[in-house]
Amino acid sequence: MNDWLRDVFHDRPVWINALMVFSAYMAFVYMPWDIFWKPVSRDEEVWFGILFTGWSAKLGALAHWFVYAAATYGFRRRRPWMRIWGPLYSAQVAFGMLVWNVLYWGSWTGWIVGLIGALPFAALTLALFGAHEYFRDPRPHLRERYGDWALVTGATAGIGAELARSLARRGVSCVITGRREERLRELASELEQRHGVSTRCVPVDLAESGGAERLADACRDLDIAILVNNAGVGYVGRFDKQDTGRLRDLVEVNCSAPVVLTSKLLPAMLERGRGAVIITGSVAGRQPLPLHGVYAATKGFDLLFGEALYVELRGTGVDVLVLEPGVTDTEFQEVSGQIPHGGATAHAVAEAGIEALGDQPSLVFGWIQWIRANAAARLVSRPLVAYIAREITRPSTPAELR
Ligand SMILES: NC(=O)c1ccc[n+]([C@@H]2O[C@H](COP(=O)([O-])OP(=O)(O)OC[C@H]3O[C@@H](n4cnc5c(N)ncnc54)[C@H](OP(=O)(O)O)[C@@H]3O)[C@@H](O)[C@H]2O)c1
């Protein structure tokens, strides 16, 4: 508990922490009550000093909820847009104080009371404006933070190839791996020519016994600073219609390989006192997912493994992130036997993952997916979620596999 509190509050001044707690209270307690329980007839909201009542007040309350929810997130993650968001909202309150009092008291009394009311918020606006250094990325460059080399599994396609590109763009040299050697060579020359980094291609089948160990051995002479456990396969269909060998391979690639590689490469990172481990999980791992049952279970495994590792390694200099994409437009859908159905770009997923590294234990990509993973899956009973999930996976599952 103490470590968690330190994690949440350690890198901001007390007054910014206080604003963060106040915003969280407004977003999670007061505004939901105001929106859902307060009768419309009693609802009142003030914006820019103008009083709104009834349904217009309810709409104003929604806007207020959005302001406080964004502020909670912005204070917590020290987002650069808070340099504008914070002072702007506080200035609006200061302005509102003045207008409200002038309108409702009138004459000099209104101006005097209004100025007295506006003063603290004007001071807060200036303080927030002056605190812009807390809202810039406080972290040094990726290579300075972790080191020169990354190992990226599943780099021959999709999210893995984009993760390698994102790392190379930041000057990190890459060991890239997958089974298709030709693709590895193509990506390696692209990274070298475009970003001037070094590369090493290690073709390996992670489903084969000893595959992950061979890969770790092939990097033994390099200081691997960032391990990206990204390789993964899906397999769509009802369990009794699935092939045993393919299921076993899926568990090997999605679960055993990340465990073995992390176990082999982590000790050197700990010795150096810096490093990072990324595991590509999936929002599929947040709940039972009929027609992707084993796949979703392996991604649940990745999530729990990664989040536990994050906490175990706090204070060692080694960061851990479980990157949880939703549906992404890669070869994955075809390889897993689904009917293709589009999705986010692999580039956007990879960039978000690299940016979030060091900030948090896990990242669900996309706010709709975030709501689905965090709100829906926690508020609704798990069996019911499973039934709903089956309705979502059914259309992309070929009829003969349902
Ligand atoms: N696409 C999505 O909708 C989605 C959503 C959530 C999470 N994810 C996760 O994101 C990760 C990357 O998936 P993706 O969408 O980029 O899929 P992808 O385009 O199919 O790429 C999968 C990668 O994994 C490698 N791989 C598969 N089996 C392997 C094996 N036996 N040995 C070594 N490498 C192997 C593939 O390389 P070779 O074929 O050359 O071996 C390929 O580079 C996976 O962990 C997946 O579970 C994907």
Coordinates of all heavy atoms in Angstrom, one line a residue, residues 31-112:
M31 N -19.3 14.4 -9.3 CA -20.0 14.6 -10.6 C -20.9 13.5 -11.0 O -22.1 13.7 -11.4 CB -19.0 14.9 -11.8 CG -18.2 16.2 -11.7 SD -19.1 17.7 -11.2 CE -20.4 17.8 -12.5
P32 N -20.5 12.2 -10.8 CA -21.5 11.1 -11.0 C -22.8 11.3 -10.2 O -23.9 11.0 -10.7 CB -20.7 9.8 -10.6 CG -19.3 10.2 -10.8 CD -19.2 11.7 -10.4
W33 N -22.6 11.7 -8.9 CA -23.8 11.9 -8.1 C -24.6 13.0 -8.7 O -25.9 12.9 -8.9 CB -23.4 12.3 -6.7 CG -24.6 12.8 -5.8 CD1 -25.5 12.1 -5.2 CD2 -24.9 14.2 -5.6 NE1 -26.4 12.9 -4.6 CE2 -26.1 14.2 -4.8 CE3 -24.3 15.4 -5.9 CZ2 -26.7 15.3 -4.4 CZ3 -24.9 16.6 -5.5 CH2 -26.1 16.5 -4.8
D34 N -24.0 14.1 -9.1 CA -24.6 15.3 -9.7 C -25.4 14.9 -11.0 O -26.5 15.3 -11.2 CB -23.5 16.3 -10.0 CG -24.1 17.7 -10.2 OD1 -25.1 18.0 -9.5 OD2 -23.6 18.4 -11.1
I35 N -24.7 14.1 -11.8 CA -25.3 13.7 -13.1 C -26.4 12.7 -12.9 O -27.5 12.9 -13.5 CB -24.2 13.2 -14.0 CG1 -23.2 14.3 -14.4 CG2 -24.8 12.6 -15.3 CD1 -22.0 13.9 -15.1
F36 N -26.2 11.7 -12.1 CA -27.2 10.6 -12.1 C -28.2 10.7 -11.0 O -29.3 10.1 -11.2 CB -26.4 9.2 -12.0 CG -25.6 9.0 -13.2 CD1 -24.2 8.9 -13.1 CD2 -26.2 8.7 -14.5 CE1 -23.4 8.7 -14.2 CE2 -25.4 8.5 -15.6 CZ -24.0 8.5 -15.5
W37 N -27.9 11.3 -9.9 CA -28.9 11.2 -8.8 C -29.6 12.5 -8.5 O -30.7 12.5 -8.0 CB -28.2 10.7 -7.5 CG -28.1 9.2 -7.5 CD1 -29.1 8.4 -7.1 CD2 -27.0 8.4 -7.8 NE1 -28.7 7.1 -7.2 CE2 -27.4 7.1 -7.6 CE3 -25.7 8.7 -8.2 CZ2 -26.5 6.0 -7.9 CZ3 -24.8 7.7 -8.4 CH2 -25.2 6.3 -8.3
K38 N -29.0 13.6 -8.8 CA -29.6 14.9 -8.5 C -30.8 15.1 -9.5 O -30.6 15.0 -10.7 CB -28.6 16.0 -8.7 CG -28.9 17.3 -7.9 CD -27.9 18.3 -8.3 CE -27.4 19.2 -7.2 NZ -26.5 20.2 -7.7
P39 N -32.0 15.5 -8.9 CA -33.1 15.7 -9.8 C -32.8 16.9 -10.8 O -32.2 17.9 -10.3 CB -34.3 16.0 -8.9 CG -33.8 15.6 -7.5 CD -32.3 15.6 -7.5
V40 N -33.3 16.8 -12.0 CA -33.1 17.8 -13.0 C -33.6 19.2 -12.4 O -33.0 20.2 -12.6 CB -33.8 17.5 -14.3 CG1 -33.7 18.6 -15.3 CG2 -33.3 16.2 -14.9
S41 N -34.8 19.1 -11.7 CA -35.4 20.3 -11.2 C -34.5 21.1 -10.2 O -34.6 22.3 -10.0 CB -36.7 20.0 -10.5 OG -36.5 19.0 -9.5
R42 N -33.6 20.3 -9.6 CA -32.7 21.0 -8.6 C -31.3 21.2 -9.1 O -30.4 21.7 -8.4 CB -32.6 20.1 -7.3 CG -33.8 20.2 -6.4 CD -33.6 19.3 -5.2 NE -32.3 19.4 -4.6 CZ -31.6 18.4 -4.1 NH1 -32.2 17.2 -4.0 NH2 -30.4 18.5 -3.6
D43 N -31.1 20.9 -10.4 CA -29.7 21.0 -10.9 C -29.4 22.5 -11.2 O -30.2 23.2 -11.9 CB -29.6 20.1 -12.2 CG -28.2 19.5 -12.2 OD1 -27.4 19.9 -11.4 OD2 -28.0 18.6 -13.1
E44 N -28.2 22.9 -10.8 CA -27.7 24.2 -11.1 C -26.2 24.1 -11.5 O -25.4 23.4 -10.8 CB -27.8 25.1 -9.9 CG -29.2 25.5 -9.6 CD -29.3 26.5 -8.4 OE1 -28.3 26.6 -7.7 OE2 -30.4 27.1 -8.3
E45 N -25.8 24.7 -12.5 CA -24.4 24.7 -12.9 C -24.0 26.2 -13.3 O -24.8 26.9 -13.9 CB -24.1 23.8 -14.1 CG -24.3 22.4 -13.9 CD -23.0 21.8 -13.2 OE1 -21.9 22.1 -13.5 OE2 -23.3 21.0 -12.3
V46 N -22.7 26.5 -12.9 CA -22.3 27.9 -13.3 C -21.1 27.7 -14.2 O -20.1 27.1 -13.9 CB -21.9 28.7 -12.0 CG1 -21.4 30.1 -12.4 CG2 -23.0 28.8 -11.1
W47 N -21.2 28.4 -15.4 CA -20.1 28.4 -16.4 C -19.9 29.9 -16.7 O -20.8 30.6 -17.0 CB -20.4 27.6 -17.6 CG -20.2 26.2 -17.5 CD1 -21.1 25.2 -17.2 CD2 -19.0 25.5 -17.7 NE1 -20.6 24.0 -17.2 CE2 -19.2 24.1 -17.5 CE3 -17.7 25.8 -18.0 CZ2 -18.2 23.1 -17.6 CZ3 -16.7 24.9 -18.1 CH2 -17.0 23.5 -17.9
F48 N -18.7 30.4 -16.6 CA -18.3 31.8 -16.9 C -19.2 32.7 -16.1 O -19.5 33.8 -16.6 CB -18.5 32.1 -18.4 CG -17.5 31.2 -19.3 CD1 -17.9 30.1 -19.9 CD2 -16.2 31.6 -19.4 CE1 -17.1 29.3 -20.6 CE2 -15.3 30.8 -20.1 CZ -15.7 29.6 -20.7
G49 N -19.6 32.3 -14.9 CA -20.4 33.2 -14.1 C -21.9 33.2 -14.4 O -22.7 33.9 -13.8
I50 N -22.3 32.4 -15.4 CA -23.7 32.4 -15.8 C -24.4 31.2 -15.2 O -23.8 30.1 -15.3 CB -23.9 32.3 -17.3 CG1 -23.1 33.4 -18.1 CG2 -25.4 32.4 -17.7 CD1 -23.6 34.8 -17.9
L51 N -25.5 31.3 -14.6 CA -26.2 30.2 -13.9 C -27.1 29.5 -14.9 O -27.9 30.1 -15.6 CB -27.0 30.7 -12.7 CG -27.9 29.7 -12.0 CD1 -26.9 28.7 -11.2 CD2 -28.9 30.3 -11.1
F52 N -26.9 28.2 -15.0 CA -27.7 27.3 -15.8 C -28.6 26.4 -14.9 O -28.0 26.0 -13.8 CB -26.9 26.4 -16.7 CG -26.1 27.2 -17.8 CD1 -24.8 27.7 -17.5 CD2 -26.6 27.5 -19.0 CE1 -24.1 28.4 -18.4 CE2 -25.9 28.2 -20.0 CZ -24.7 28.7 -19.7
T53 N -29.8 26.2 -15.3 CA -30.6 25.3 -14.4 C -31.3 24.2 -15.3 O -31.2 24.3 -16.6 CB -31.8 26.1 -13.8 OG1 -32.5 26.8 -14.8 CG2 -31.2 27.1 -12.7
G54 N -31.9 23.2 -14.7 CA -32.7 22.2 -15.4 C -31.8 21.4 -16.4 O -30.6 21.1 -16.0
W55 N -32.3 21.1 -17.6 CA -31.5 20.2 -18.5 C -30.2 20.8 -19.0 O -29.3 20.1 -19.2 CB -32.4 19.8 -19.7 CG -33.4 18.7 -19.3 CD1 -34.7 18.9 -19.1 CD2 -33.1 17.4 -19.0 NE1 -35.3 17.7 -18.7 CE2 -34.3 16.7 -18.6 CE3 -31.9 16.6 -19.0 CZ2 -34.4 15.4 -18.3 CZ3 -32.0 15.3 -18.6 CH2 -33.2 14.7 -18.3
S56 N -30.2 22.2 -19.1 CA -29.0 22.8 -19.6 C -27.9 22.6 -18.5 O -26.7 22.5 -18.8 CB -29.2 24.3 -19.9 OG -29.7 25.0 -18.8
A57 N -28.4 22.6 -17.2 CA -27.4 22.4 -16.1 C -26.9 20.9 -16.2 O -25.7 20.7 -15.9 CB -28.1 22.6 -14.8
K58 N -27.8 20.0 -16.5 CA -27.3 18.6 -16.6 C -26.2 18.5 -17.7 O -25.2 17.8 -17.5 CB -28.5 17.7 -17.1 CG -29.3 17.2 -15.9 CD -28.6 16.0 -15.2 CE -29.4 15.6 -14.0 NZ -28.8 15.8 -12.7
L59 N -26.4 19.2 -18.8 CA -25.4 19.1 -19.9 C -24.1 19.8 -19.4 O -23.0 19.2 -19.7 CB -25.9 19.9 -21.1 CG -26.8 19.1 -22.1 CD1 -27.2 20.1 -23.2 CD2 -26.1 17.9 -22.6
G60 N -24.3 20.9 -18.7 CA -23.1 21.5 -18.1 C -22.4 20.6 -17.1 O -21.1 20.6 -17.1
A61 N -23.1 19.8 -16.4 CA -22.5 18.8 -15.5 C -21.7 17.8 -16.2 O -20.6 17.4 -15.8 CB -23.6 18.1 -14.7
L62 N -22.2 17.4 -17.4 CA -21.4 16.4 -18.2 C -20.1 17.1 -18.6 O -19.0 16.4 -18.6 CB -22.2 16.1 -19.5 CG -23.2 14.9 -19.3 CD1 -23.9 14.7 -20.7 CD2 -22.5 13.6 -18.9
A63 N -20.1 18.3 -19.0 CA -18.9 19.0 -19.4 C -17.9 19.1 -18.2 O -16.7 18.9 -18.3 CB -19.2 20.4 -20.0
H64 N -18.5 19.4 -17.0 CA -17.7 19.5 -15.8 C -17.1 18.1 -15.5 O -15.9 18.1 -15.1 CB -18.6 19.9 -14.6 CG -18.5 21.4 -14.3 ND1 -19.6 22.1 -14.0 CD2 -17.4 22.2 -14.3 CE1 -19.2 23.4 -13.8 NE2 -17.9 23.4 -14.0
W65 N -17.8 17.1 -15.7 CA -17.3 15.7 -15.5 C -16.1 15.5 -16.4 O -15.0 15.1 -16.0 CB -18.3 14.6 -15.7 CG -17.6 13.3 -15.5 CD1 -17.4 12.6 -14.4 CD2 -17.0 12.5 -16.6 NE1 -16.7 11.5 -14.6 CE2 -16.5 11.3 -15.9 CE3 -16.9 12.6 -17.9 CZ2 -15.8 10.4 -16.6 CZ3 -16.2 11.6 -18.7 CH2 -15.7 10.5 -18.0
F66 N -16.2 15.9 -17.6 CA -15.1 15.7 -18.6 C -13.9 16.5 -18.2 O -12.8 16.0 -18.2 CB -15.6 16.1 -20.0 CG -14.6 16.0 -21.1 CD1 -14.1 14.7 -21.5 CD2 -14.0 17.1 -21.6 CE1 -13.1 14.6 -22.4 CE2 -13.0 17.0 -22.6 CZ -12.6 15.7 -23.0
V67 N -14.1 17.8 -17.7 CA -13.0 18.6 -17.3 C -12.2 17.9 -16.2 O -11.0 17.8 -16.2 CB -13.5 20.0 -16.9 CG1 -12.4 20.8 -16.1 CG2 -14.0 20.8 -18.1
Y68 N -13.0 17.4 -15.2 CA -12.3 16.8 -14.0 C -11.7 15.5 -14.3 O -10.6 15.2 -13.8 CB -13.3 16.7 -12.8 CG -13.6 18.1 -12.2 CD1 -14.9 18.6 -12.2 CD2 -12.6 18.8 -11.6 CE1 -15.2 19.8 -11.7 CE2 -12.9 20.1 -11.1 CZ -14.1 20.6 -11.1 OH -14.4 21.8 -10.6
A69 N -12.3 14.7 -15.2 CA -11.8 13.4 -15.5 C -10.4 13.6 -16.3 O -9.4 13.0 -16.0 CB -12.7 12.6 -16.4
A70 N -10.5 14.6 -17.2 CA -9.2 14.9 -18.0 C -8.1 15.4 -17.0 O -7.0 15.1 -17.2 CB -9.5 15.9 -19.1
A71 N -8.6 16.3 -16.1 CA -7.6 16.9 -15.2 C -7.0 15.8 -14.3 O -5.7 15.8 -14.0 CB -8.2 17.9 -14.3
T72 N -7.8 14.8 -13.8 CA -7.3 13.7 -13.0 C -6.2 13.0 -13.8 O -5.1 12.7 -13.3 CB -8.4 12.7 -12.6 OG1 -9.5 13.5 -12.1 CG2 -7.9 11.7 -11.6
Y73 N -6.5 12.6 -15.0 CA -5.6 11.9 -15.9 C -4.3 12.8 -16.2 O -3.2 12.3 -16.1 CB -6.3 11.5 -17.2 CG -5.4 10.8 -18.2 CD1 -5.0 9.5 -18.0 CD2 -4.9 11.5 -19.3 CE1 -4.2 8.9 -18.9 CE2 -4.1 10.9 -20.2 CZ -3.7 9.6 -20.0 OH -2.9 9.0 -20.9
G74 N -4.6 14.0 -16.5 CA -3.5 14.9 -16.8 C -2.5 15.2 -15.7 O -1.3 15.1 -15.9
F75 N -3.1 15.4 -14.5 CA -2.2 15.5 -13.3 C -1.4 14.3 -13.0 O -0.2 14.3 -12.7 CB -3.0 15.9 -12.0 CG -3.5 17.4 -12.0 CD1 -4.8 17.7 -11.8 CD2 -2.5 18.4 -12.1 CE1 -5.2 19.0 -11.7 CE2 -2.9 19.7 -12.1 CZ -4.3 20.0 -11.9
R76 N -2.2 13.1 -13.1 CA -1.6 11.8 -12.7 C -0.4 11.5 -13.7 O 0.6 11.1 -13.3 CB -2.7 10.8 -12.8 CG -2.2 9.3 -12.7 CD -2.0 8.9 -11.3 NE -1.8 7.5 -11.2 CZ -0.5 7.0 -11.2 NH1 0.5 7.7 -11.2 NH2 -0.3 5.6 -11.1
R77 N -0.7 11.7 -15.0 CA 0.4 11.3 -16.0 C 1.2 12.4 -16.4 O 2.0 12.3 -17.4 CB -0.3 10.7 -17.2 CG -1.1 9.4 -16.9 CD -0.2 8.2 -16.8 NE -1.0 7.0 -16.4 CZ -0.6 6.2 -15.4 NH1 0.6 6.4 -14.8 NH2 -1.3 5.2 -15.0
R78 N 1.0 13.6 -15.8 CA 1.8 14.8 -16.2 C 1.8 15.1 -17.6 O 2.9 15.2 -18.3 CB 3.3 14.6 -15.6 CG 3.3 14.3 -14.1 CD 4.6 14.0 -13.6 NE 5.5 15.2 -13.7 CZ 6.7 15.3 -13.2 NH1 7.2 14.2 -12.5 NH2 7.5 16.3 -13.4
R79 N 0.6 15.1 -18.2 CA 0.5 15.3 -19.7 C 0.9 16.7 -20.1 O 0.4 17.7 -19.4 CB -0.9 14.9 -20.2 CG -1.1 13.4 -20.1 CD -0.2 12.7 -21.2 NE -0.3 11.3 -21.1 CZ 0.7 10.5 -20.8 NH1 1.9 11.0 -20.5 NH2 0.6 9.2 -20.8
P80 N 1.6 16.9 -21.1 CA 2.0 18.3 -21.5 C 0.8 19.2 -21.8 O 0.9 20.4 -21.5 CB 2.8 18.1 -22.8 CG 3.2 16.6 -22.8 CD 2.2 15.9 -22.0
W81 N -0.4 18.7 -22.3 CA -1.5 19.5 -22.5 C -2.1 20.1 -21.2 O -2.9 21.1 -21.3 CB -2.6 18.8 -23.3 CG -3.0 17.4 -22.9 CD1 -2.5 16.3 -23.5 CD2 -3.8 17.1 -21.8 NE1 -3.0 15.2 -22.8 CE2 -3.9 15.6 -21.8 CE3 -4.6 17.8 -20.9 CZ2 -4.6 14.9 -20.9 CZ3 -5.3 17.0 -20.0 CH2 -5.3 15.6 -20.0
M82 N -1.7 19.6 -20.1 CA -2.1 20.2 -18.8 C -1.6 21.7 -18.6 O -2.1 22.4 -17.8 CB -1.7 19.4 -17.6 CG -2.6 18.2 -17.4 SD -4.3 18.6 -17.1 CE -4.2 19.2 -15.4
R83 N -0.5 22.0 -19.4 CA 0.0 23.4 -19.3 C -1.1 24.4 -19.7 O -1.1 25.5 -19.3 CB 1.2 23.6 -20.3 CG 2.4 22.8 -19.8 CD 3.4 23.0 -20.9 NE 4.3 21.8 -21.0 CZ 5.1 21.5 -22.0 NH1 5.1 22.3 -23.0 NH2 5.8 20.4 -22.0
I84 N -2.0 23.9 -20.6 CA -3.1 24.8 -21.1 C -4.3 24.5 -20.3 O -5.0 25.4 -19.9 CB -3.3 24.5 -22.6 CG1 -2.0 24.6 -23.4 CG2 -4.4 25.5 -23.2 CD1 -1.5 26.0 -23.6
W85 N -4.6 23.2 -20.2 CA -5.9 22.7 -19.6 C -6.1 23.3 -18.2 O -7.2 23.9 -17.9 CB -5.9 21.2 -19.6 CG -7.2 20.5 -19.2 CD1 -7.6 20.1 -18.0 CD2 -8.2 20.3 -20.2 NE1 -8.8 19.5 -18.1 CE2 -9.2 19.6 -19.4 CE3 -8.4 20.5 -21.5 CZ2 -10.4 19.2 -20.0 CZ3 -9.6 20.0 -22.1 CH2 -10.6 19.4 -21.4
G86 N -5.1 23.2 -17.3 CA -5.2 23.6 -16.0 C -5.4 25.1 -15.8 O -6.5 25.5 -15.3
P87 N -4.5 25.9 -16.4 CA -4.7 27.4 -16.3 C -6.0 27.8 -16.9 O -6.7 28.7 -16.4 CB -3.5 28.0 -17.0 CG -2.5 26.9 -17.1 CD -3.2 25.6 -17.0
L88 N -6.4 27.2 -18.0 CA -7.6 27.7 -18.8 C -8.8 27.5 -17.9 O -9.7 28.4 -17.8 CB -7.7 26.9 -20.1 CG -8.5 27.6 -21.2 CD1 -7.7 28.8 -21.7 CD2 -8.7 26.6 -22.4
Y89 N -8.9 26.3 -17.3 CA -10.1 26.0 -16.5 C -10.1 26.9 -15.2 O -11.2 27.5 -14.8 CB -10.2 24.6 -16.1 CG -11.5 24.3 -15.3 CD1 -12.7 24.3 -15.9 CD2 -11.4 24.0 -13.9 CE1 -13.9 24.1 -15.2 CE2 -12.6 23.8 -13.2 CZ -13.8 23.8 -13.8 OH -14.9 23.6 -13.1
S90 N -9.0 27.1 -14.6 CA -8.9 27.9 -13.4 C -9.2 29.3 -13.7 O -9.9 30.0 -13.0 CB -7.5 27.7 -12.8 OG -7.3 28.6 -11.8
A91 N -8.7 29.8 -14.9 CA -9.0 31.2 -15.3 C -10.5 31.4 -15.6 O -11.1 32.4 -15.2 CB -8.3 31.5 -16.6
Q92 N -11.2 30.3 -16.1 CA -12.6 30.4 -16.3 C -13.3 30.5 -15.0 O -14.3 31.3 -14.9 CB -13.1 29.1 -17.0 CG -14.5 28.9 -17.4 CD -15.4 28.3 -16.2 OE1 -16.5 28.8 -16.0 NE2 -14.8 27.4 -15.5
V93 N -12.9 29.8 -13.9 CA -13.5 29.9 -12.6 C -13.3 31.3 -12.0 O -14.2 32.0 -11.5 CB -12.9 28.9 -11.6 CG1 -13.6 29.0 -10.3 CG2 -13.2 27.5 -12.2
A94 N -12.1 31.9 -12.2 CA -11.8 33.2 -11.7 C -12.7 34.2 -12.4 O -13.4 35.1 -11.8 CB -10.3 33.6 -12.0
F95 N -12.8 34.1 -13.7 CA -13.7 35.0 -14.5 C -15.1 34.8 -14.1 O -15.8 35.8 -13.9 CB -13.5 34.7 -16.0 CG -14.4 35.5 -16.9 CD1 -14.0 36.8 -17.2 CD2 -15.5 34.9 -17.5 CE1 -14.8 37.5 -18.1 CE2 -16.3 35.7 -18.3 CZ -15.9 37.0 -18.6
G96 N -15.5 33.6 -13.9 CA -16.9 33.3 -13.4 C -17.2 33.9 -12.1 O -18.3 34.5 -11.9
M97 N -16.2 33.9 -11.2 CA -16.4 34.5 -9.8 C -16.8 36.0 -10.0 O -17.7 36.5 -9.3 CB -15.2 34.3 -9.0 CG -15.0 32.9 -8.4 SD -16.1 32.7 -7.1 CE -15.9 31.1 -6.6
L98 N -16.0 36.6 -10.8 CA -16.2 38.1 -11.0 C -17.6 38.3 -11.6 O -18.4 39.1 -11.1 CB -15.1 38.6 -11.9 CG -14.9 40.1 -12.0 CD1 -14.6 40.7 -10.6 CD2 -13.8 40.5 -13.0
V99 N -17.8 37.7 -12.7 CA -19.1 37.9 -13.5 C -20.3 37.6 -12.6 O -21.2 38.4 -12.5 CB -19.1 37.1 -14.8 CG1 -20.5 37.2 -15.4 CG2 -18.0 37.5 -15.7
W100 N -20.2 36.5 -11.9 CA -21.3 36.0 -11.0 C -21.7 37.1 -10.0 O -22.8 37.5 -9.8 CB -20.9 34.7 -10.4 CG -21.8 34.3 -9.2 CD1 -21.7 34.6 -7.9 CD2 -23.0 33.5 -9.3 NE1 -22.7 34.1 -7.2 CE2 -23.5 33.3 -8.0 CE3 -23.6 32.8 -10.4 CZ2 -24.6 32.6 -7.7 CZ3 -24.8 32.1 -10.1 CH2 -25.3 32.0 -8.8
N101 N -20.6 37.6 -9.3 CA -20.9 38.5 -8.2 C -21.3 39.9 -8.8 O -22.2 40.5 -8.2 CB -19.6 38.7 -7.4 CG -19.5 37.5 -6.5 OD1 -20.3 37.3 -5.6 ND2 -18.5 36.7 -6.7
V102 N -20.8 40.3 -9.9 CA -21.2 41.6 -10.5 C -22.7 41.4 -10.9 O -23.5 42.3 -10.7 CB -20.3 42.0 -11.7 CG1 -20.9 43.1 -12.5 CG2 -18.9 42.3 -11.2
L103 N -23.0 40.3 -11.6 CA -24.4 40.1 -12.0 C -25.4 40.0 -10.9 O -26.5 40.6 -11.0 CB -24.5 38.8 -12.9 CG -23.9 38.9 -14.3 CD1 -24.2 37.6 -15.0 CD2 -24.6 40.0 -15.1
Y104 N -25.0 39.3 -9.8 CA -26.0 39.0 -8.8 C -26.0 40.0 -7.6 O -27.0 40.1 -6.9 CB -25.9 37.6 -8.3 CG -26.3 36.6 -9.4 CD1 -25.4 36.2 -10.4 CD2 -27.7 36.3 -9.6 CE1 -25.8 35.4 -11.4 CE2 -28.1 35.5 -10.7 CZ -27.2 35.0 -11.6 OH -27.6 34.2 -12.6
W105 N -24.9 40.7 -7.4 CA -24.9 41.8 -6.4 C -25.1 43.2 -7.0 O -25.6 44.0 -6.3 CB -23.5 41.7 -5.6 CG -23.3 40.5 -4.7 CD1 -23.0 39.3 -5.1 CD2 -23.4 40.5 -3.3 NE1 -22.9 38.5 -4.0 CE2 -23.1 39.2 -2.9 CE3 -23.7 41.5 -2.3 CZ2 -23.2 38.8 -1.6 CZ3 -23.7 41.1 -1.0 CH2 -23.5 39.8 -0.6
G106 N -24.5 43.3 -8.2 CA -24.6 44.6 -8.8 C -23.6 45.6 -8.2 O -23.0 45.4 -7.1
S107 N -23.4 46.7 -8.9 CA -22.6 47.9 -8.5 C -21.3 47.5 -7.8 O -20.7 46.5 -8.1 CB -23.4 48.8 -7.5 OG -23.6 48.2 -6.3
W108 N -20.8 48.4 -6.9 CA -19.4 48.3 -6.3 C -19.3 47.0 -5.5 O -18.3 46.4 -5.4 CB -19.1 49.5 -5.5 CG -18.7 50.7 -6.4 CD1 -19.5 51.8 -6.6 CD2 -17.6 50.8 -7.2 NE1 -18.9 52.6 -7.5 CE2 -17.7 52.0 -7.9 CE3 -16.5 50.0 -7.4 CZ2 -16.7 52.4 -8.8 CZ3 -15.5 50.4 -8.3 CH2 -15.6 51.6 -9.0
T109 N -20.4 46.7 -4.7 CA -20.3 45.5 -3.9 C -20.0 44.3 -4.7 O -19.1 43.5 -4.3 CB -21.7 45.3 -3.1 OG1 -22.2 46.6 -2.8 CG2 -21.5 44.4 -1.9
G110 N -20.7 44.2 -5.8 CA -20.4 43.0 -6.7 C -19.0 43.0 -7.2 O -18.4 41.9 -7.2
W111 N -18.4 44.1 -7.6 CA -17.0 44.1 -8.1 C -16.1 43.7 -6.9 O -15.2 42.9 -7.2 CB -16.7 45.6 -8.6 CG -17.1 45.8 -10.0 CD1 -18.3 46.4 -10.4 CD2 -16.5 45.3 -11.2 NE1 -18.4 46.4 -11.7 CE2 -17.3 45.7 -12.3 CE3 -15.3 44.6 -11.4 CZ2 -16.9 45.4 -13.6 CZ3 -15.0 44.3 -12.7 CH2 -15.8 44.7 -13.8
I112 N -16.3 44.3 -5.7 CA -15.4 44.0 -4.6 C -15.5 42.5 -4.2 O -14.5 41.8 -4.2 CB -15.7 44.9 -3.4 CG1 -15.3 46.3 -3.8 CG2 -14.9 44.5 -2.2 CD1 -15.8 47.4 -2.8

